[in-house]
Amino acid sequence: MATGEQASPPGLATRRSLGKRFRDAIAPILASKVALVGLGLVSFWVVVAIFAPLITPYGPLEHDLEAMNLGPSLEHLLGADNLGRDLWARLIYGARTILILAPLSVFCALAVGATLGLISGYFGGWTDEVVMRLLDAIMAFPAILLYLIIIFALGPSATNVVIAITIAGTPGIARLVRSLTLDIRTREYIAAAKLRGENPFYIMFVEILPNARGPIIVDAMLRIGYAVIAIGTLGFLGVGLPPPAPDWGSMVAQGRIYIWINPWPVLWPSLAISSLVIGLNLFADGLREETMRYQ
């Protein structure tokens, strides 16, 4: 080493490496206006959900009998429902529920579907046939019908909503991961791993899965939007979260009875569902366009 050169401290080098990885990870987002708009919409609901107690003085179950079916006012910014509950409070507390259940459902479906897709695509043969035929049997049911069958069998609850969306979402994820695995398993670095004597599960989860993460992440973002719609639909049908939970779908169902005298309890949760789903779709579309550009 030259006299004037000094070695960088290990901690500094690690921080620089992490910083570079972070910049590389967010570069596709920053380069896409579509992704930034989507991220802005999603971030709005994340922020209001986190800081809900600081944003509104009302609780989601708090009744104000003098404000029943009241329109937007200084006391109730978005109005109140037929029981005098503040709509803004119910919206932002309901955002907490949906922002937990939707990603959790997709994560569970991703864990199961990715595992089945890797096994099916890597081993092939009869393993592939058995796994794919089982998944085809699940896909034969319309999604909403499958949700209803599972929840009617298990009972309405947050846990069972997650289970229903997980089961319904697993086949699509498994098919995507299987198709990616069929392509990646022919690459040279997979052959090199086999020559080193690596375990098949090591090859699947360390060599194949990380190299398939791009399409999987984009697909997962879209599926979170579908999960938001599913949770809202189940709430509207009365088989989602048990009342009086501030569920956006159940808010629409309860408000539609009084829609001619007070449309606000239907309008605001409908706009909330739409804005969150649009934000997730825009973010996924922008991310997909930018990642494909550099392939």
Side-chain angles (χ1 to χ4, degrees), residues 5 22 37 80 100 127 138 201 211 239 287 293:
E5 294 181 357
F22 177 74
V37 172
I100 291 173
T127 303
I138 296 175
F201 287 95
N211 288 287
V239 293
L287 192 61
R293 182 176 302 178

Side-chain angles (χ1 to χ4, degrees), residues 25-90:
I26 66 172
I29 300 173
L30 298 177
S32 172
K33 293 181 180 180
V34 173
L36 286 175
V37 172
L39 182 61
L41 288 171
V42 176
S43 298
F44 168 78
W45 287 112
V46 171
V47 170
V48 298
I50 293 173
F51 297 102
L54 304 177
I55 295 174
T56 176
Y58 301 101
L61 306 180
E62 186 177 338
H63 297 268
D64 182 358
L65 299 181
E66 296 181 357
M68 291 190 300
N69 282 324
L70 182 71
S73 64
L74 293 177
E75 292 186 358
H76 301 279
L77 295 178
L78 300 184
D81 64 9
N82 62 300
L83 298 177
R85 295 174 297 191
D86 185 76
L87 291 175
W88 174 237
R90 288 181 66 77

Side-chain angles (χ1 to χ4, degrees), residues 32-200:
S32 172
K33 293 181 180 180
V34 173
L36 286 175
V37 172
L39 182 61
L41 288 171
V42 176
S43 298
F44 168 78
W45 287 112
V46 171
V47 170
V48 298
I50 293 173
F51 297 102
L54 304 177
I55 295 174
T56 176
Y58 301 101
L61 306 180
E62 186 177 338
H63 297 268
D64 182 358
L65 299 181
E66 296 181 357
M68 291 190 300
N69 282 324
L70 182 71
S73 64
L74 293 177
E75 292 186 358
H76 301 279
L77 295 178
L78 300 184
D81 64 9
N82 62 300
L83 298 177
R85 295 174 297 191
D86 185 76
L87 291 175
W88 174 237
R90 288 181 66 77
L91 271 183
I92 60 179
Y93 278 96
R96 285 184 165 188
T97 302
I98 209 161
L99 288 172
I100 291 173
L101 295 185
L104 179 61
S105 302
V106 174
F107 177 80
C108 293
L110 188 61
V112 178
T115 301
L116 292 176
L118 285 168
I119 292 173
S120 179
Y122 183 79
F123 290 107
W126 66 268
T127 303
D128 184 27
E129 284 295 321
V130 171
V131 172
M132 286 297 104
R133 296 299 77 77
L134 289 174
L135 296 178
D136 286 345
I138 296 175
M139 293 184 71
F141 291 89
I144 187 62
L145 179 59
L146 190 58
Y147 296 148
L148 294 175
I149 291 173
I150 295 169
I151 292 178
F152 277 130
L154 301 178
S157 70
T159 301
N160 294 337
V161 168
V162 172
I163 293 173
I165 296 175
T166 298
I167 294 174
T170 293
I173 296 174
R175 282 183 168 274
L176 172 64
V177 175
R178 173 182 177 271
S179 65
L180 294 170
T181 303
L182 289 173
D183 175 46
I184 295 174
R185 73 175 186 177
T186 61
R187 307 288 176 84
E188 292 182 358
Y189 56 85
I190 301 300
K194 291 179 179 179
L195 288 175
R196 294 197 307 267
E198 300 289 0
N199 185 282

